[in-house]
Each structure stands twice: as structure tokens, then as C-alpha cells.
């Protein structure tokens, strides 16, 4: 299965990607995590990406496409993967379609839909584990010990781009650049829409059921 998780920032793509990849043993990648890893390692790419990410803009297509294609091509079996946060522009979607064209293309695009008011609440209260990337929420899903991840004891932090001014910009960028992908994938008959306003486990069960049925 080659699957893409599509949806606005805060829809729960990252949370679901971690759970589903784990349960179904799917190789997965988050383009945002790849950029954050580069930043942690202080690479040239990390420094370049930081200037876009901190203000909530997209990293330019050429750089992003190259980075994600490299990840796909380093997989032993590129027939199976889960992409979280890529593609985010039509150009990225076209590059992905082209890359996979000779091998049947993508199988499914799961569009997780959540209303804007809810997205803002989720993003502005979000805390992420530095070590394992598990997300928490200061009100709706607080960690047992303040500032410490329940899963791995890693330190929790608030992403720079979860601060209010960057959140506003990310939602705007999503509406302008990423939303057109919904029509793109709907046209190709690969889009499944999922109501992301329900609990994490209900959304997870629905995704797993869609994926196991379409195997
Ligand atoms: P995320 O962790 O998916 O919320 O991504 C965080 C940030 O990384 C985004 O706001 C962008 O600045 C950058 N980013 C992640 N994925 C992409 C992508 N596919 N295209 C361009 N920028 C991206």
C-alpha cells in the first residue's frame, strides 16, 4: 500500500501516522520530521528550512521534493509506505505521481477533515516529545508528569510554529496551497474523507479498517 495522509495542520495526521505505521508495520515518513531532524543536526538544509518553518510558510518545492524522493528511494521496498505531510502542493503531488507512475501510483489518499476553530485550539495547546514525537495537549491530553513524555520520558516542547502568529499563517498556506490537492485526488478516485473531529482511537480504527479492506 502506498498511502498519503492529507489534511490541515492540527488534523491529527502525525498522531495517526505513528499509530497506523506501528499497527500495520508500514514504513512511514513525515516531511516535517525530516526537516526537524535536519535542524537538530544543524545541516545546511535544516538551517534553510528553519527560516520558512518558523514563520509557518512552506519550504520551497524543489528542496522538499528532493528530500522526500530520497527517503522513498532508500526504502528497500518502495511499494509500501505512509506519507505524512507530503505532498502539500500540486507540484509536489505531480512529482510524486511521476515518481510512482511506472509502478501503479498511489493507492489511497486519506483526507482527515477538521474545522478551523478546533484546529486552532489543538495547535496552540500542543506539546511534542523531542525524542519520539508523540504529541500531547495541555488541556485535552496532558502528560502524567508535567513536561515529560509518558511513552519515553523525553522532554516535551512547544513547536515555534504552533505559536499563534505562525498558526494563522499555516492555516492560510493550507487553504491556498494544499486544499487544491483534495480535488486533484478526488478526481483520480483515490480520496477517502475521514471525519477527524472524533476521538483519536475512533479515527484510528476507521483508518485501519479502510486500509485493511483495500489491501
Ligand atoms: P508539519 O510537521 O507537517 O506540520 O510541518 C511543519 C513545517 O515543515 C511546515 O509548516 C512547513 O514549513 C514544513 N513542511 C513540512 N512538509 C512540507 C511540505 N510537504 N512542503 C513544504 N514544506 C513542508
Amino acid at each position: 500500500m502506498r498511502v498519503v495522509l492529507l489534511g490541515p495542520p492540527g488534523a491529527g495526521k502525525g498522531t495517526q501516522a505513528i499509530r497506523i505505521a506501528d499497527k500495520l508495520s508500514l514504513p512511514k515518513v513525515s516531511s516535517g520530521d525530516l526537516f526537524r531532524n535536519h535542524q537538530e543536526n544543524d545541516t545546511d538544509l535544516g538551517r534553510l528550512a528553519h527560516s520558512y518553518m518558523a514563520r509557518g510558510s512552506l519550504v520551497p518545492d524543489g528542496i522538499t521534493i528532493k528530500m522526500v524522493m530520497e527517503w522513498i528511494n532508500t526504502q528497500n521496498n518502495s511499494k509500501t509506505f505512509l506519507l505524512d505531510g507530503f505532498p502539500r502542493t500540486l507540484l509536489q503531488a505531480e512529482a510524486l505521481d511521476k515518481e510512482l507512475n511506472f509502478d501503479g501510483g498511489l493507492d489511497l489518499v486519506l483526507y482527515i477533515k477538521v474545522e478551523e476553530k478546533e484546529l486552532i485550539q489543538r495547535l496552540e495547546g500542543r506539546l511534542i516529545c523531542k525524542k519520539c514525537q508523540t504529541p500531547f495537549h495541555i488541556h485535552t491530553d496532558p502528560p502524567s508528569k508535567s513536561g515529560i513524555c509518558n511513552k519515553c520520558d523525553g522532554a516535551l516542547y512547544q513547536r515555534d510554529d504552533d505559536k499563534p502568529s505562525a498558526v494563522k499563517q499555516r492555516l492560510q498556506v493550507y487553504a491556498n496551497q494544499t486544499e487544491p490537492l483534495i480535488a486533484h485526488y478526488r478526481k483520480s478516485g483515490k480520496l477517502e474523507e475521514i471525519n477527524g473531529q472524533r476521538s483519536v482511537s475512533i479515527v484510528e480504527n476507521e483508518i485501519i479498517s479502510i486500509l485493511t479492506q483495500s489491501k
Side-chain angles (χ1 to χ4, degrees), residues 25-37:
S25 303
L26 272 179
K28 74 117 185 153
V29 76
S30 146
S31 42
D33 285 348
L34 289 180
F35 285 130
R36 281 182 288 275
N37 290 343

Side-chain angles (χ1 to χ4, degrees), residues 1 3 5 16-28 80-82 108 110 204-215:
M1 295 285 298
V3 183
L5 288 183
Q16 294 298 340
I18 292 173
R19 289 173 167 238
I20 290 155
D22 213 37
K23 280 231 170 104
L24 302 181
S25 303
L26 272 179
K28 74 117 185 153
T80 302
F81 56 72
L82 177 64
L108 260 183
L110 302 173
E204 177 187 348
N205 289 341
E206 182 169 335
I207 294 179
I208 290 191
S209 136
I210 293 171
L211 292 180
T212 43
Q213 275 166 32
S214 51
K215 250 186 189 173

Side-chain angles (χ1 to χ4, degrees), residues 150-171:
N150 291 356
K151 256 188 170 170
C152 73
D153 281 345
L156 303 183
Y157 76 108
Q158 184 186 38
R159 282 171 39 176
D160 280 346
D161 58 352
D162 281 345
K163 293 178 180 151
S165 61
V167 164
K168 211 168 148 218
Q169 165 73 0
R170 285 163 71 201
L171 292 172

Side-chain angles (χ1 to χ4, degrees), residues 77-172:
N77 172 4
S78 60
K79 288 190 187 320
T80 302
F81 56 72
L82 177 64
L83 298 180
D84 158 22
F86 182 94
R88 258 174 156 102
T89 65
L90 274 173
L91 212 84
Q92 292 177 15
E94 282 160 12
L96 184 63
D97 290 345
K98 203 166 147 206
E99 179 80 16
L100 305 178
N101 192 25
F102 299 105
D103 219 358
L106 281 175
D107 295 295
L108 260 183
V109 177
L110 302 173
Y111 164 43
I112 308 181
K113 192 173 174 185
V114 174
E115 277 167 20
E116 183 163 315
K117 197 166 149 226
E118 166 102 13
L119 295 171
I120 293 171
Q121 280 167 2
R122 288 186 186 183
L123 290 168
E124 293 185 1
R126 182 161 74 167
L127 296 172
I128 312 265
C129 173
K130 251 205 153 91
K131 227 156 104 188
C132 72
Q133 321 303 329
T134 298
F136 294 84
H137 190 278
I138 46 172
H139 300 305
T140 57
D141 182 22
S144 314
K145 280 185 264 169
S146 170
I148 309 280
C149 175
N150 291 356
K151 256 188 170 170
C152 73
D153 281 345
L156 303 183
Y157 76 108
Q158 184 186 38
R159 282 171 39 176
D160 280 346
D161 58 352
D162 281 345
K163 293 178 180 151
S165 61
V167 164
K168 211 168 148 218
Q169 165 73 0
R170 285 163 71 201
L171 292 172
Q172 194 65 55

